Each structure stands twice: as C-alpha cells, then as structure tokens.
Amino acid sequence: MSPLILFAVVLAYFLILLGVAWRTSRHATNDSFFIGNKDSNWMLVAFGMVGTTLTGVTFISVPGAVGSNGFGYIQLMIGYVLGYLAITFILLPLYYRLQLTSIYRYLEWRLGRRSYQSGAAFFILSRLLGATARLYLVVNILQATILDSLGVPFWLTSCVVLLLILLYTVEGGVKTIVWTDTLQTACMLAGLIICSVFLLREMDLSFIDSLERMRAQGLTRIFTVDPDSPAYVWKHILAGMFITIAMTGMDQEMMQKNISVRTLRDSQKNMLSLTVVLTGVLLLFLFLGGLLHLYAPLAGVTATGDKLFPAVVLGHFPAVVQLIFFIALISALFPSVDGALTALTSTFCIDILGLQRKKELSASAQVRWRRRVHLGFTALFLILIMAFKWLDDPSMIVVILKLASYTYGPLLGLFAFGLLCKRGVRDRWVPLVAVAGPLLCALIEGEQARLFEHYRIGLELLILNGALVLGGLFLISTPAGQAIKGAAHLSK
C-alpha cells in the first residue's frame, strides 16, 4: 500500500480521537481529569482497560513468541486471573472506603508521608520509562514503513505523535481516555480478528483443523515442569499473580480508571469483566501466533520473534489488511501511552505537588498547574524517545521494559506491609529501604549463577524485590501503638 495512503488513514484516525476528546472534555475540571467526576460507565472502563493492559509490544511479541514458547503464556494468564481477583476483593474495597483520588494516599494514611512519596516516585519512574519505551518501538515501526519513504525525519514524527496525544488528553484526562481507549480497544480487536480470519482462509483451514496442525508441530504446549527453568509453571503462575497485583492494583494509571466509576460494586464488575475479556483476547493472540507460525513456512517467511507478524503482514497480506494491521497496532499502543501521560500528571500534581491540599490556590490556578505538568511530561517523553533513538539498541529496550520488575517491587513491598502488618514504620527511613530492595535484586540477579548454580531467576524477580522491601520495612518497623493514626481508620 502507498505510504501516502497509510499516512492519510493514520492521520484520519487521530482526527477521530481529537473529535472524541473535544466532545468529552467540554466543561472539564480537575476532577474530570483525575477521576472522571466519578461518573464513568463501568462497561466502557472495563472494555477500554483491555487496550491499556495490552500494548503495542504485546501485539507484536505474544504471537511472535509462540514459535519458541508454544502456548506457555497461558501459565502467566492463570496467575493474571488470580491477581485480578485479589484486586477486585481486597484492593478496590480499600480504595473506595478511603475515597482516594491517588491510590498512593493509602501509604500516607497507613505508613507516613515519606512512604507515600516513595510509592508515587517509583510509579512515576516506572511508567515514564515503560511508556516511552513502548512509544519508541511503535513510532519506529511507523517511521520505517511509512514516513522514511516520505522524507519525514524521526524527530518530527515523534513530535507530531506526542502533540496529538497531548491534544486529546490535556483537558479531559480520565473523562476522555475512558472513551478513546474504548474506541482504540475495538480497533485493536477488529484487527486481531481480521488477521486471524485472513490466515485461516489463506491456508484453507477450519478453527479445529488449525489447532490440530498446531498441536502436531508442538506449538500448543503449555506447561514447563523443569523447576530450574525460568518458565517453570509455578514460577509463572505466582509471577503472573503478583505482576497483576503490582502493575494493575498498585498502579495509578490502571486504578484511576477503576475509581472513576461511581460505586464499588460497579468497579468490581468492571474488574471481573476485564478479567474475562482480557483472557479471551490473550488466547486469541496465542491462536494468531500459532497461525503465523503455520503460515510462515508456506510463504517462505524466515522472520522470527517480534519481526514475524509485521513481516507476514507487509510481505503477503493485501493492502486493506495491511491498513487494518497498522490501525490495530496504533490502537494497541495508544491506550497505554495516553493513560500513562494522564496518570503521571495526576500523580505528580496530587502526590508530589499536593495541589489538592493547597487551599490558597483557586480552581483555575490548579488547572493551570495541571496543564503545565501535563506539557512537561510530554516534553520528557520526547526527550526519552530521542534518547532511545540515539542509543539505537534493541537490547536496551528489553532492559528498559525489564525495569518494571525493579520499579514495581518497592510498591509491592510497601502495600504488602501496610495490608499484612499491624506495625508502623520509621517513615524517614522508608525511601532508603525502597531503593535498597531493587539494588539488592540487581546484585542477586548478577550473581545468580554462583549463588544458585543451575537455578535461573525469571519473572519471579518482582516477587523477590517486593519481599526484600517488605523485610526491610519490618526491620525499621515500630510497635503498633506508634503507627500512623490513619491505620486505625483503615482497619474499620
């Protein structure tokens, strides 16, 4: 397909998003931006959160990994379901009981102000690195497939993409992205289904026939029973559960959409619906991955891993399906980026600047501060994207994405201590403990061959990180009688 046509369609897609933003952000306030005036429709939130949970990296990587891992991703999915149940029945009731705008205020109530700021800071670090890394990957694909041939430089592509995201999020925030994420999730799912149907027709296979052929080629294997393997079944189930608890239940971006729903009951329905829909979508990603690995040898495609899906689409699909693929890819990316930009703004304004506590500031002054912070994070996104481009090292992106295990570990430890222990902490020491946990993890991971011989740390690194922080907090803990006053309120 002509790059000009692709560019025009992508631009039209952005214009639709801007139209949705204009419609939903009229008369928006800071409450609209931060928590959607607590009036979001739970069904829209649930559907839109599928797109936020899945990213452009997931869209490319999960199908590509079927060749090496089979359907082993299902091990993680079992853990995801357990994690979502824990969020639904443990964390959401807590957040609603406290009527939180920022979920990290819980840490202030329970442990103290330094604990609160430590949690917010680690969230900001994690989302900033993760969101910009994902955005870089997809902007790079757009650049290589469309804009290089038009003579558009990478820096300009990055600026335009970020400007468009800024324009449709700057006023409405959560109130807007609940709707834009719903639209983008629908586009992503449509692309996923259409690509799967096209592959089935090209190979003249039924659904049952395709599964049988995948089984014959060893693509449907699920469980790994070697305890020394990083993909050992119980490692993945436990890791999947704690990844979900930390990266969804303790993540402001994900939870601000949940707490934007009017009642706890509706929010819980949202989370349970998300669990069902997300499980189905991930199974469809795995099925698509199996189809791609069946089709690639027939079409003479030698690409593997992350390169397989784009290589098959761009080299062997008709123009209209290529177009659908690009829209789906963009739709898989943007819910995680626009949500991250909004959540980072919310967290910085509420938890770092403390705008809601500054009664001397008028409502209009608070809105001006929020806009400045939103613009500042957009500029920071651009700087990091250009840094990734300058490094131009695919392994660097893998390293950045892996940092989620390090940056979410302190959050897991902080919340676990608050929920599981009755003791207080010496609050001034909490930032040191939160930093020490990831540093110890890095040391252990670097020396794992000497420490554990054949055992290799995999996704359970997040659990180890959280456990180290939890242990450190216990070492600086105080008797229950000296705990923060808010703990008594939380236990009611």
Side-chain angles (χ1 to χ4, degrees):
M1 176 172 283
S2 164
L4 278 173
I5 295 176
L6 281 174
F7 178 77
V9 172
V10 170
L11 184 60
Y13 178 77
F14 273 114
L15 291 176
I16 292 172
L17 292 178
L18 290 175
V20 172
W22 174 82
R23 179 69 179 82
T24 57
S25 64
R26 290 184 298 176
H27 312 299
T29 63
N30 272 0
D31 278 344
S32 306
F33 188 94
F34 296 142
I35 54 173
N37 299 120
K38 272 198 170 296
D39 195 32
S40 300
N41 183 289
W42 70 266
M43 289 183 286
L44 291 178
V45 172
F47 189 69
M49 281 181 68
V50 173
T52 307
T53 304
L54 303 174
T55 67
V57 179
T58 306
F59 192 86
I60 296 297
S61 296
V62 171
V66 170
S68 56
N69 302 328
F71 285 3
Y73 196 77
I74 290 175
Q75 296 179 147
L76 274 175
M77 289 167 55
I78 296 170
Y80 292 165
V81 172
L82 297 175
Y84 283 125
L85 292 176
I87 294 168
T88 301
F89 298 108
I90 298 174
L91 292 180
L92 282 179
L94 175 66
Y95 297 155
Y96 270 81
R97 186 165 69 246
L98 295 176
Q99 299 180 349
L100 299 177
T101 300
S102 166
I103 62 173
Y104 306 118
R105 287 295 302 276
Y106 164 73
L107 298 176
E108 182 178 31
W109 275 86
R110 177 63 181 85
L111 304 176
R113 185 154 184 79
R114 294 289 180 86
S115 303
Y116 163 47
Q117 292 177 329
S118 297
F122 271 97
F123 165 73
I124 289 172
L125 177 64
S126 184
R127 271 302 177 191
L128 192 58
L129 292 174
T132 50
R134 295 181 188 112
L135 183 57
Y136 165 74
L137 289 172
V138 177
V139 168
N140 228 16
I141 292 174
L142 292 174
Q143 186 70 30
T145 55
I146 300 177
L147 297 167
D148 275 345
S149 62
L150 300 177
V152 178
F154 181 86
W155 68 266
L156 183 57
T157 303
S158 302
C159 286
V160 171
V161 169
L162 282 169
L163 177 62
L164 290 167
I165 294 174
L166 173 69
L167 288 175
Y168 79 78
T169 59
V170 69
E171 290 299 332
V174 171
K175 187 176 179 181
T176 293
I177 63 177
V178 164
W179 286 94
T180 55
D181 284 3
T182 299
L183 171 63
Q184 292 174 113
T185 300
C187 292
M188 180 196 68
L189 293 180
L192 190 60
I193 293 169
I194 289 170
C195 288
S196 298
V197 171
F198 179 81
L199 285 168
L200 286 172
R201 292 184 62 182
E202 283 293 294
M203 293 184 288
D204 194 24
L205 292 174
S206 68
F207 175 75
I208 300 299
D209 291 339
S210 66
L211 287 177
E212 179 57 33
R213 190 171 296 183
M214 289 177 206
R215 187 197 62 78
Q217 295 190 17
L219 296 175
T220 58
R221 64 190 183 280
I222 297 175
F223 298 110
T224 300
V225 295
D226 178 9
D228 290 333
S229 170
Y232 178 51
V233 54
W234 288 112
K235 285 185 188 180
H236 268 210
I237 291 174
L238 286 174
M241 180 175 70
F242 282 100
I243 284 171
T244 300
I245 292 172
M247 297 181 67
T248 299
M250 299 171 187
D251 182 286
Q252 176 66 17
E253 177 186 351
M254 300 298 290
M255 287 296 100
Q256 71 178 2
K257 295 173 185 176
N258 269 291
I259 60 180
S260 73
V261 176
R262 184 179 294 109
T263 67
L264 170 61
R265 182 176 175 81
D266 282 349
S267 185
Q268 289 175 317
K269 287 191 292 186
N270 157 53
M271 187 57 64
L272 293 174
S273 300
L274 169 66
T275 304
V276 173
V277 175
L278 183 63
T279 300
V281 172
L282 288 172
L283 289 174
L284 184 55
F285 268 114
L286 291 173
F287 178 67
L288 173 62
L291 292 177
L292 288 168
H293 284 86
L294 293 179
Y295 181 79
L298 302 177
V301 176
T302 57
T304 58
D306 292 356
K307 297 179 180 179
L308 176 62
F309 196 5
V312 169
V313 171
L314 297 178
H316 301 274
F317 281 18
V320 65
V321 182
Q322 291 179 17
L323 182 59
I324 292 168
F325 168 80
F326 274 104
I327 294 298
L329 179 61
I330 294 169
S331 299
L333 165 73
F334 278 19
S336 63
V337 176
D338 59 22
L341 187 57
T342 301
L344 287 167
T345 301
S346 301
T347 298
F348 195 84
C349 288
I350 297 169
D351 302 325
I352 306 300
L353 296 181
L355 285 187
Q356 292 186 326
R357 291 190 294 270
K358 293 182 178 179
K359 304 301 182 183
E360 69 276 12
L361 287 179
S362 65
S364 59
Q366 291 192 20
V367 168
R368 286 196 298 272
W369 269 105
R370 186 252 297 163
R371 289 172 179 166
R372 291 169 191 161
V373 171
H374 201 68
L375 183 60
F377 274 114
T378 305
L380 195 52
F381 270 43
L382 178 62
I383 292 170
L384 288 172
I385 289 170
M386 296 310 298
F388 294 151
K389 181 64 175 177
W390 177 70
L391 291 170
D392 197 24
D393 184 355
S395 64
M396 182 63 184
I397 298 301
V398 173
V399 170
I400 292 296
L401 295 176
K402 186 178 181 180
L403 281 176
S405 293
Y406 286 95
T407 53
Y408 279 99
L411 283 172
L412 186 61
L414 284 164
F415 275 88
F417 184 90
L419 291 166
L420 300 177
C421 300
K422 297 295 185 180
R423 298 171 66 85
V425 293
R426 293 176 176 85
D427 190 46
R428 66 182 182 277
W429 294 105
V430 169
L432 292 178
V433 172
V435 172
L439 291 178
L440 283 173
C441 272
L443 180 62
I444 292 170
E445 188 180 24
E447 296 294 325
Q448 62 180 314
R450 187 169 61 86
L451 293 172
F452 308 123
E453 295 186 358
H454 301 297
Y455 183 88
R456 289 296 176 266
I457 299 173
L459 293 174
E460 72 273 21
L461 181 65
L462 172 66
I463 303 173
L464 174 63
N465 195 352
L468 289 171
V469 173
L470 177 62
L473 292 173
F474 191 81
L475 291 176
I476 63 167
S477 65
T478 60
Q482 300 177 32
I484 290 294
K485 291 186 297 183
H489 175 75
L490 293 178
S491 64
K492 292 180 181 179

